[in-house]
Structure formats: C-alpha cells, structure tokens
Amino acid sequence: MYRPHPFSWVPADGARHASSDTKPTSGYPTGICVATLCGHQLIADNTELAWLWDTCPDCNTAAHVLAEVPMPPAVGAR
C-alpha cells in the first residue's frame, strides 16, 4: 500500500488524528485502538461523519514535522 508519509489520518475521540501504526489496506476499522501522534491510545471511528470532525492540533503539528512541511501561517497573521 502506498503511504507517502510515515503516518495516516484516523478519526477517533471526536477529532481527526494522525497515527504511525501500520494501516490496514481498507483503513483503520472502527473499534481498533491506535496510537496517535498526540500521544494517546484511541479507538478509531471510521465513519463518514467522523471524517468531518476537526483535526487534532497536536497531531497536525506532529504530522507537519514528520512530513517536513512547515505549518501554514495562522489565518489573519501577517
């Protein structure tokens, strides 16, 4: 399975988190426990609605570091 970065996104606990756990071909199934980049063990919720949740800011920061992509400036920042 192609994985351009050493992490994948997974909805869990009310937010979209990033995890470096091995990702099954069909994605992290609902109910599986994943270790997140923000340092938690959370239960995946791979439902359509869950993918609309906000992104965990700590996972987002860690994912940008791993991807070697700088964080965009905050909205309204000059």
Side-chain angles (χ1 to χ4, degrees):
M1 170 185 228
Y2 175 70
R3 190 175 189 183
H5 301 295
F7 61 86
S8 297
W9 292 98
V10 55
D13 196 37
R16 285 176 289 138
H17 292 269
S19 176
S20 59
D21 289 357
T22 301
K23 180 180 168 187
T25 304
S26 60
Y28 299 106
T30 295
I32 192 170
C33 185
V34 295
T36 62
L37 297 184
C38 64
H40 298 282
Q41 297 283 327
L42 300 174
I43 303 300
D45 182 357
N46 197 357
T47 59
E48 286 185 37
L49 180 60
W51 282 103
L52 300 175
W53 293 340
D54 289 336
T55 300
C56 168
D58 293 336
C59 282
N60 194 32
T61 299
H64 275 82
V65 170
L66 287 174
E68 298 179 354
V69 175
M71 290 285 291
V75 174
R78 294 180 187 224

